[in-house]
Amino acid sequence: RPRHEGARTMLPLLLLLLPAAHGTVRLEFMPTLTKVPPLEGMTTASTFVLNQPRCVFENYSNAVIWLVVALDKGRLSFNNSAGPGTPETAFQNFPHSRAYMTLNATPDSYPCPKPSGDIAVLRVGSETSCAQDETRPTCNGPLPGPGPYCVKFLALEGSVPVAETYWSAPIMLRTAKSQNSISTTGSGHSAGMIAITTILSILFAILLAALVAMLFLCGSDSCGGSSTFSKPESVTVRRYNTHHVYDQPAARL
């Protein structure tokens, strides 16, 4: 029986739409910067710290969870089907590629609930040794600029994306102040302290100079008038001969 012409043209289209029909589940989770009080350096010039996606991928035990880091202007053009480790998602090609994939983990790495005492965070940009190593395209290397950046978590079963979170809000990193922008005058309090210190130093120098001058003058005859010391008269000590005491004989009766 001859095939219908429309059926032959629809078959390839249906095959293309089959993966899309399965779709990628959007999970109700948005990555955020951590606000753990003891943790310092939430953002630096090349890193930032995220909360881990705890209790988010419980239904995807066979998946691998990846962190997608993108420029804010490039997040909408990111393709979930772009596999990790490809030129399109390699860290070494970022930011030219506008996004990269890193920090892969299994759902077991994000247990639910969080064990007591655990600090459930991820520091993005902490690896420096692999930043230029093209054999490690999923390197968690230092971020190349202040941003803004957006991130999301993506679950892959094999090479098929099955679930993803929302993109985070734009994240800006710290920027170092230029040398010209650093004020050399200091605050008003600092200027006052400098003035007081200067005045005290001048007064101390004047006092020290006066003390030295006084000591110099007192070393000469002009200090307190001249004093005459008379030579003490010699004392003559007379010599006395010692009289011997003789026992007188007892008077005879």
Side-chain angles (χ1 to χ4, degrees):
R1 189 175 60 180
R3 292 183 179 180
H4 193 275
E5 291 294 332
R8 287 190 297 178
T9 58
M10 289 294 295
L11 182 59
L13 182 60
L14 291 174
L15 293 176
L16 290 174
L17 293 177
L18 185 59
H22 180 270
T24 302
V25 178
R26 178 70 58 83
L27 303 174
E28 295 298 324
F29 178 83
M30 177 183 290
T32 56
L33 292 175
T34 184
K35 295 183 179 179
V36 179
L39 190 64
E40 296 182 359
M42 182 176 67
T43 59
T44 67
S46 59
T47 67
F48 58 87
V49 183
L50 295 173
N51 290 314
Q52 292 183 358
R54 297 295 179 99
C55 306
V56 177
F57 295 97
E58 293 179 291
N59 298 327
Y60 301 92
S61 58
N62 296 325
V64 176
I65 315 303
W66 290 86
L67 178 69
V68 182
V69 183
L71 294 173
D72 182 37
K73 60 184 179 182
R75 60 186 176 88
L76 296 180
S77 61
F78 177 76
N79 182 8
N80 283 344
S81 299
T86 62
E88 187 178 355
T89 61
F91 170 80
Q92 289 76 16
N93 294 334
F94 186 77
H96 177 71
S97 60
R98 297 192 175 187
Y100 67 96
M101 298 175 68
T102 186
L103 292 176
N104 58 309
T106 62
D108 293 338
S109 300
Y110 304 129
C112 180
K114 178 179 75 68
S116 177
D118 278 9
I119 299 178
V121 297
L122 297 172
R123 181 172 290 276
V124 181
S126 60
E127 294 185 72
T128 58
S129 60
C130 58
Q132 304 298 326
D133 187 357
E134 294 186 357
T135 63
R136 294 186 58 188
T138 59
C139 175
N140 181 28
L143 295 163
Y149 301 99
C150 291
V151 298
K152 72 175 181 178
F153 291 96
L154 177 64
L156 300 180
E157 290 184 354
S159 59
V160 178
V162 292
E164 65 176 344
T165 67
Y166 287 95
W167 287 101
S168 69
I171 299 171
M172 289 294 300
L173 303 185
R174 295 184 181 182
T175 55
K177 291 184 178 180
S178 64
Q179 188 174 5
N180 296 332
S181 65
I182 299 176
S183 175
T184 57
T185 59
S187 62
H189 180 73
S190 299
M193 292 299 295
I194 293 173
I196 293 174
T197 303
T198 303
I199 294 173
L200 291 177
S201 300
I202 294 173
L203 292 176
F204 179 76
I206 294 173
L207 180 62
L208 182 62
L211 181 61
V212 171
M214 183 181 297
L215 292 175
F216 177 76
L217 293 175
C218 286
S220 63
D221 293 335
S222 62
C223 181
S226 60
S227 300
T228 303
F229 296 94
S230 59
K231 183 179 181 180
E233 296 182 357
S234 60
V235 179
T236 303
V237 180
R238 295 181 180 181
R239 297 184 65 182
Y240 292 91
N241 292 327
T242 305
H243 296 279
H244 294 283
V245 180
Y246 298 95
D247 292 337
Q248 297 295 328
R252 292 183 180 181
L253 297 178

